[in-house]
Amino acid sequence: QVQLVESGGGLVQAGGSLRLSCATSGRAFSRYTMGWFRQAPGKEREFVARISAGGSITNYADSVKGRFTISRDNAKNTVYLQMNSLKPEDTAVYYCAANFLSAGRSRAEYDYWGQGTQVTVSS
């Protein structure tokens, strides 16, 4: 069993930055693919970024490419999402997700989810 706890959300002005963290419990964190998803009011939860178990492969949604960076510290069992040049359309609840070994961009591929952290970007 893996438990995920997100932190770092908040209110920021457009153009600003935030760094989200997702701390995990359980064993073998380094063998889990980690992902970030987000859900805006009235919309479906969508893929934001993912990082492979070893950390060598990252993928991003087109809407955040070049602005967001996903990373992980396997020694701390934590994955991060650095968000720069934030836009009002980035406003959403951001969720951390995990899956043993591999997972792609679909939320159905992830077995474990955090409770989410709110990110609000004002114009």
Side-chain angles (χ1 to χ4, degrees):
Q1 190 74 11
V2 176
Q3 293 183 324
L4 311 174
V5 179
E6 302 96 334
S7 62
L11 174 64
V12 64
Q13 289 188 333
S17 298
L18 283 174
R19 188 177 82 153
L20 305 183
S21 299
C22 174
T24 71
S25 63
R27 299 184 298 177
F29 172 74
S30 63
R31 301 185 71 185
Y32 283 77
T33 291
M34 302 299 296
W36 285 97
F37 290 75
R38 66 186 182 186
Q39 187 167 17
K43 296 188 177 181
E44 292 192 354
R45 194 171 299 186
E46 64 176 6
F47 169 78
V48 175
R50 65 175 286 276
I51 186 166
S52 62
S56 62
I57 300 172
T58 58
N59 301 100
Y60 298 91
D62 288 344
S63 59
V64 307
K65 200 173 295 183
R67 300 188 297 122
F68 290 11
T69 302
I70 189 171
S71 62
R72 65 191 296 159
D73 185 338
N74 286 346
K76 295 182 178 180
N77 287 4
T78 301
V79 63
Y80 305 97
L81 185 68
Q82 177 66 44
M83 305 186 296
N84 298 329
S85 302
L86 283 161
K87 304 175 181 180
E89 51 262 45
D90 294 318
T91 295
V93 177
Y94 283 71
Y95 296 91
C96 176
N99 197 69
F100 186 65
L101 295 180
S102 65
R105 297 170 179 247
S106 171
R107 60 187 181 182
E109 297 178 72
Y110 293 82
D111 286 336
Y112 304 100
W113 292 84
Q115 293 301 304
T117 185
Q118 176 71 47
V119 171
T120 303
V121 184
S122 63
S123 57

